Amino acid sequence: VKRVLVLNGPNLDTLGTRRPEIYGTTTLSQIEGELRDVAREAGLGLEFVQSASEQVLVEAISARKPDGIIINPAALTHFSHPLADALRASGVPVIEVHLSNIHAREQYRRLSVISPVARGVICGLGPAGYRFALEALARMLSGR
Ligand code: DQA
């Protein structure tokens, strides 16, 4: 069974209550529940790691050796070269997801140091972006 690692960065544990006008009212555990349903259909294994710590995220990538990665790096998106290096070194397809459209907000959010190592980037589609990312990875990992 191919395994997909779903990584969420700083503050995404407070989804649902943090700035709902921007990030919506869906919680991270609701998103994880929906992804579990998609994974079951697709016959994929799923692992979730949420952390405010860059170190925890970097170590999860090397320790868990997944077949594909979905990552919402949150604010680490904009400056974490260690995270970008770890994703690149993993050698597996990475889909970067953002709930909000990072290009329609403050200027500093427009730069992602993660995007150059991503196979694809989804932003601005809210929680559904995670589902679309998993569907895309399912296709890639089955060679379709
Ligand atoms: C975010 C966008 C980032 O700029 C921000 O720091 C976040 C969430 C998003 O999902 O829209 O924490 O990654």
Side-chain angles (χ1 to χ4, degrees):
V1 175
K2 304 250 172 140
R3 287 178 304 114
V4 173
L5 178 59
V6 182
L7 297 172
N8 281 286
N11 302 309
L12 292 171
D13 54 328
T14 61
L15 268 186
T17 51
R18 168 196 181 209
R19 306 191 71 188
E21 71 286 3
I22 292 174
Y23 298 119
T25 53
T26 305
T27 65
L28 191 57
S29 61
Q30 286 170 332
I31 291 171
E32 290 179 357
E34 185 176 357
L35 292 181
R36 282 191 204 288
D37 292 341
V38 175
R40 198 175 306 113
E41 290 272 310
L44 289 171
L46 268 193
E47 295 172 27
F48 297 99
V49 175
Q50 187 281 324
S51 181
S53 160
E54 178 184 66
Q55 180 178 354
V56 167
L57 298 171
V58 166
E59 289 175 355
I61 293 164
S62 57
R64 295 184 185 232
K65 302 195 187 346
D67 299 295
I69 298 172
I70 295 171
I71 183 164
N72 183 347
L76 296 172
T77 304
H78 313 299
F79 63 89
S80 179
H81 297 285
L83 194 52
D85 278 354
L87 291 166
R88 187 187 282 108
S90 76
V92 302
V94 173
I95 316 269
E96 176 184 350
V97 174
H98 302 282
L99 295 148
S100 66
N101 179 353
I102 58 173
H103 302 289
R105 301 181 60 196
E106 299 92 334
Q107 186 63 31
Y108 77 90
R109 296 189 200 273
R110 301 203 60 189
L111 173 72
S112 168
V113 302
I114 304 300
S115 294
V117 306
R119 180 73 72 85
V121 182
I122 296 172
C123 79
L125 302 182
Y130 288 87
R131 160 186 278 270
F132 300 149
L134 187 55
E135 288 170 352
L137 266 183
R139 289 189 184 212
M140 285 173 208
L141 295 177
S142 70
R144 277 183 292 149

